[in-house]
Amino acid sequence: MALERTLAILKPDCVRKNLIGEVIRRIQEAGFTVRALKMINLSRVDAEGFYSVHRDRPFFGELTEFMSSGPCVPIVLEKENAVADFRTLIGATDPAEADAGTIRRDFADNKGQNIVHGSDSAQNGRLESNYYFPEVEIVSNAG
Ligand code: ADP
């Protein structure tokens, strides 16, 4: 199977809870290669742009307020079957429904503040990676 790219974001609740290291440790232990990462503050407009697919959903305001409430850590990850495997690692959107041992089940407070983002398709994995990182900032010789 070909290598695939997915975008993770350690959300502001992950940063506030001092879980950056623990979550990246789990990600690397699961076999993902880190190709790019940084810590940034998203503006409300940045968050609205990233989540524009959800603009008509009732939680859009809450989501974009949360995502711009403090620093977050976008990370480009690569692995075979990265998109599906990463979603398995993080668990269901609602931590109460997430499998035991998943990152959201172990660390998230609720469906909105759920610690980590993961792309939902290979195409979005590439598009979302380039939302935060121009291609020159994504390394090809890590791991
Ligand atoms: P996922 O991040 O698991 O792919 P979605 O794409 O459905 O989930 O939603 C994107 C993000 O929007 C979620 O990770 C969560 O932060 C937020 N969200 C989703 N549903 C709700 C909800 N009912 N109430 C508040 N926030 C929500």
PDB file of all heavy atoms in Angstrom, residues 11 51 54 59 62-63 87 93 104 111-112 114, ligand 1:
ATOM      1  N   LYS A  11      -5.311  20.104  19.508  1.00  0.00           N
ATOM      2  CA  LYS A  11      -6.216  21.248  19.697  1.00  0.00           C
ATOM      3  C   LYS A  11      -5.857  22.025  20.977  1.00  0.00           C
ATOM      4  O   LYS A  11      -5.076  21.538  21.810  1.00  0.00           O
ATOM      5  CB  LYS A  11      -7.660  20.739  19.734  1.00  0.00           C
ATOM      6  CG  LYS A  11      -8.118  20.104  18.407  1.00  0.00           C
ATOM      7  CD  LYS A  11      -9.591  19.691  18.454  1.00  0.00           C
ATOM      8  CE  LYS A  11     -10.036  19.103  17.130  1.00  0.00           C
ATOM      9  NZ  LYS A  11     -11.502  18.809  17.110  1.00  0.00           N
ATOM     10  N   TYR A  51     -12.424  25.004   8.895  1.00  0.00           N
ATOM     11  CA  TYR A  51     -13.621  24.191   9.131  1.00  0.00           C
ATOM     12  C   TYR A  51     -14.808  24.639   8.275  1.00  0.00           C
ATOM     13  O   TYR A  51     -15.962  24.395   8.646  1.00  0.00           O
ATOM     14  CB  TYR A  51     -14.002  24.242  10.609  1.00  0.00           C
ATOM     15  CG  TYR A  51     -13.171  23.328  11.486  1.00  0.00           C
ATOM     16  CD1 TYR A  51     -12.262  23.841  12.408  1.00  0.00           C
ATOM     17  CD2 TYR A  51     -13.298  21.943  11.407  1.00  0.00           C
ATOM     18  CE1 TYR A  51     -11.510  23.002  13.229  1.00  0.00           C
ATOM     19  CE2 TYR A  51     -12.554  21.106  12.220  1.00  0.00           C
ATOM     20  CZ  TYR A  51     -11.667  21.633  13.121  1.00  0.00           C
ATOM     21  OH  TYR A  51     -10.929  20.786  13.933  1.00  0.00           O
ATOM     22  N   HIS A  54     -18.068  22.846   7.694  1.00  0.00           N
ATOM     23  CA  HIS A  54     -19.054  22.763   8.778  1.00  0.00           C
ATOM     24  C   HIS A  54     -19.802  24.079   9.019  1.00  0.00           C
ATOM     25  O   HIS A  54     -20.486  24.219  10.026  1.00  0.00           O
ATOM     26  CB  HIS A  54     -18.367  22.376  10.099  1.00  0.00           C
ATOM     27  CG  HIS A  54     -17.796  20.993  10.105  1.00  0.00           C
ATOM     28  ND1 HIS A  54     -18.509  19.882   9.745  1.00  0.00           N
ATOM     29  CD2 HIS A  54     -16.557  20.542  10.436  1.00  0.00           C
ATOM     30  CE1 HIS A  54     -17.755  18.799   9.857  1.00  0.00           C
ATOM     31  NE2 HIS A  54     -16.558  19.179  10.263  1.00  0.00           N
ATOM     32  N   PHE A  59     -22.908  23.750  15.549  1.00  0.00           N
ATOM     33  CA  PHE A  59     -21.757  23.889  16.450  1.00  0.00           C
ATOM     34  C   PHE A  59     -20.619  24.715  15.853  1.00  0.00           C
ATOM     35  O   PHE A  59     -19.549  24.812  16.448  1.00  0.00           O
ATOM     36  CB  PHE A  59     -21.234  22.508  16.873  1.00  0.00           C
ATOM     37  CG  PHE A  59     -20.847  21.604  15.730  1.00  0.00           C
ATOM     38  CD1 PHE A  59     -19.615  21.719  15.102  1.00  0.00           C
ATOM     39  CD2 PHE A  59     -21.722  20.616  15.284  1.00  0.00           C
ATOM     40  CE1 PHE A  59     -19.251  20.890  14.050  1.00  0.00           C
ATOM     41  CE2 PHE A  59     -21.375  19.777  14.226  1.00  0.00           C
ATOM     42  CZ  PHE A  59     -20.134  19.927  13.612  1.00  0.00           C
ATOM     43  N   GLU A  62     -19.254  27.558  18.142  1.00  0.00           N
ATOM     44  CA  GLU A  62     -18.558  26.978  19.299  1.00  0.00           C
ATOM     45  C   GLU A  62     -17.207  26.388  18.873  1.00  0.00           C
ATOM     46  O   GLU A  62     -16.171  26.588  19.539  1.00  0.00           O
ATOM     47  CB  GLU A  62     -19.453  25.880  19.891  1.00  0.00           C
ATOM     48  CG  GLU A  62     -18.871  25.110  21.043  1.00  0.00           C
ATOM     49  CD  GLU A  62     -19.778  23.938  21.452  1.00  0.00           C
ATOM     50  OE1 GLU A  62     -21.009  24.014  21.245  1.00  0.00           O
ATOM     51  OE2 GLU A  62     -19.234  22.943  21.969  1.00  0.00           O
ATOM     52  N   LEU A  63     -17.203  25.703  17.728  1.00  0.00           N
ATOM     53  CA  LEU A  63     -15.985  25.045  17.239  1.00  0.00           C
ATOM     54  C   LEU A  63     -14.902  26.066  16.888  1.00  0.00           C
ATOM     55  O   LEU A  63     -13.738  25.922  17.287  1.00  0.00           O
ATOM     56  CB  LEU A  63     -16.333  24.199  16.012  1.00  0.00           C
ATOM     57  CG  LEU A  63     -15.164  23.575  15.236  1.00  0.00           C
ATOM     58  CD1 LEU A  63     -14.362  22.622  16.119  1.00  0.00           C
ATOM     59  CD2 LEU A  63     -15.689  22.832  13.998  1.00  0.00           C
ATOM     60  N   ARG A  87      -7.483   7.818  12.509  1.00  0.00           N
ATOM     61  CA  ARG A  87      -8.815   7.947  13.105  1.00  0.00           C
ATOM     62  C   ARG A  87      -9.081   6.806  14.097  1.00  0.00           C
ATOM     63  O   ARG A  87      -9.770   6.998  15.100  1.00  0.00           O
ATOM     64  CB  ARG A  87      -9.876   8.056  12.007  1.00  0.00           C
ATOM     65  CG  ARG A  87      -9.720   9.396  11.256  1.00  0.00           C
ATOM     66  CD  ARG A  87     -10.750   9.601  10.176  1.00  0.00           C
ATOM     67  NE  ARG A  87     -12.082   9.873  10.698  1.00  0.00           N
ATOM     68  CZ  ARG A  87     -12.538  11.082  11.013  1.00  0.00           C
ATOM     69  NH1 ARG A  87     -11.761  12.141  10.905  1.00  0.00           N
ATOM     70  NH2 ARG A  87     -13.764  11.237  11.445  1.00  0.00           N
ATOM     71  N   THR A  93     -15.540  10.902  17.494  1.00  0.00           N
ATOM     72  CA  THR A  93     -15.614  12.334  17.783  1.00  0.00           C
ATOM     73  C   THR A  93     -16.011  12.593  19.237  1.00  0.00           C
ATOM     74  O   THR A  93     -15.425  13.452  19.910  1.00  0.00           O
ATOM     75  CB  THR A  93     -16.663  12.994  16.854  1.00  0.00           C
ATOM     76  OG1 THR A  93     -16.406  12.610  15.504  1.00  0.00           O
ATOM     77  CG2 THR A  93     -16.632  14.507  16.975  1.00  0.00           C
ATOM     78  N   ARG A 104      -8.811  10.184  22.318  1.00  0.00           N
ATOM     79  CA  ARG A 104      -9.972  10.972  22.768  1.00  0.00           C
ATOM     80  C   ARG A 104     -10.624  10.352  23.999  1.00  0.00           C
ATOM     81  O   ARG A 104     -11.023  11.074  24.920  1.00  0.00           O
ATOM     82  CB  ARG A 104     -10.968  11.117  21.616  1.00  0.00           C
ATOM     83  CG  ARG A 104     -10.513  12.145  20.569  1.00  0.00           C
ATOM     84  CD  ARG A 104     -11.364  12.083  19.344  1.00  0.00           C
ATOM     85  NE  ARG A 104     -11.197  13.255  18.467  1.00  0.00           N
ATOM     86  CZ  ARG A 104     -11.696  13.333  17.246  1.00  0.00           C
ATOM     87  NH1 ARG A 104     -12.369  12.305  16.735  1.00  0.00           N
ATOM     88  NH2 ARG A 104     -11.526  14.418  16.514  1.00  0.00           N
ATOM     89  N   LYS A 111     -17.527  16.223  23.191  1.00  0.00           N
ATOM     90  CA  LYS A 111     -17.524  16.114  21.732  1.00  0.00           C
ATOM     91  C   LYS A 111     -16.877  17.314  21.061  1.00  0.00           C
ATOM     92  O   LYS A 111     -16.304  17.198  19.980  1.00  0.00           O
ATOM     93  CB  LYS A 111     -18.972  15.961  21.258  1.00  0.00           C
ATOM     94  CG  LYS A 111     -19.120  15.480  19.854  1.00  0.00           C
ATOM     95  CD  LYS A 111     -20.589  15.169  19.545  1.00  0.00           C
ATOM     96  CE  LYS A 111     -20.709  14.537  18.166  1.00  0.00           C
ATOM     97  NZ  LYS A 111     -22.084  14.143  17.858  1.00  0.00           N
ATOM     98  N   GLY A 112     -16.982  18.473  21.653  1.00  0.00           N
ATOM     99  CA  GLY A 112     -16.398  19.674  21.057  1.00  0.00           C
ATOM    100  C   GLY A 112     -14.914  19.771  21.351  1.00  0.00           C
ATOM    101  O   GLY A 112     -14.092  19.973  20.455  1.00  0.00           O
ATOM    102  N   ASN A 114     -12.156  17.873  21.969  1.00  0.00           N
ATOM    103  CA  ASN A 114     -11.794  16.457  21.872  1.00  0.00           C
ATOM    104  C   ASN A 114     -10.329  16.228  21.494  1.00  0.00           C
ATOM    105  O   ASN A 114      -9.990  15.268  20.814  1.00  0.00           O
ATOM    106  CB  ASN A 114     -12.758  15.724  20.933  1.00  0.00           C
ATOM    107  CG  ASN A 114     -12.752  16.316  19.541  1.00  0.00           C
ATOM    108  OD1 ASN A 114     -11.997  17.247  19.268  1.00  0.00           O
ATOM    109  ND2 ASN A 114     -13.582  15.789  18.662  1.00  0.00           N
TER     110      ASN A 114
HETATM  111  P1  ADP B   1     -14.090  14.546  13.583  1.00  0.00           P
HETATM  112  O1  ADP B   1     -13.162  15.604  14.150  1.00  0.00           O
HETATM  113  O2  ADP B   1     -14.157  13.325  14.473  1.00  0.00           O
HETATM  114  O3  ADP B   1     -13.812  14.226  12.144  1.00  0.00           O
HETATM  115  P2  ADP B   1     -16.427  16.104  12.693  1.00  0.00           P
HETATM  116  O4  ADP B   1     -15.742  16.284  11.370  1.00  0.00           O
HETATM  117  O5  ADP B   1     -17.839  15.577  12.685  1.00  0.00           O
HETATM  118  O6  ADP B   1     -15.578  15.146  13.657  1.00  0.00           O
HETATM  119  O7  ADP B   1     -16.461  17.493  13.472  1.00  0.00           O
HETATM  120  C1  ADP B   1     -15.341  18.322  13.476  1.00  0.00           C
HETATM  121  C2  ADP B   1     -15.119  18.857  14.886  1.00  0.00           C
HETATM  122  O8  ADP B   1     -16.249  19.682  15.241  1.00  0.00           O
HETATM  123  C3  ADP B   1     -15.068  17.800  15.987  1.00  0.00           C
HETATM  124  O9  ADP B   1     -13.797  17.215  16.116  1.00  0.00           O
HETATM  125  C4  ADP B   1     -15.478  18.598  17.207  1.00  0.00           C
HETATM  126  O10 ADP B   1     -14.377  19.371  17.715  1.00  0.00           O
HETATM  127  C5  ADP B   1     -16.520  19.545  16.636  1.00  0.00           C
HETATM  128  N1  ADP B   1     -17.882  19.013  16.819  1.00  0.00           N
HETATM  129  C6  ADP B   1     -18.471  18.018  16.107  1.00  0.00           C
HETATM  130  N2  ADP B   1     -19.717  17.782  16.533  1.00  0.00           N
HETATM  131  C7  ADP B   1     -19.950  18.650  17.553  1.00  0.00           C
HETATM  132  C8  ADP B   1     -21.053  18.920  18.412  1.00  0.00           C
HETATM  133  N3  ADP B   1     -22.194  18.247  18.308  1.00  0.00           N
HETATM  134  N4  ADP B   1     -20.900  19.893  19.337  1.00  0.00           N
HETATM  135  C9  ADP B   1     -19.757  20.601  19.456  1.00  0.00           C
HETATM  136  N5  ADP B   1     -18.674  20.402  18.680  1.00  0.00           N
HETATM  137  C10 ADP B   1     -18.759  19.442  17.732  1.00  0.00           C
END
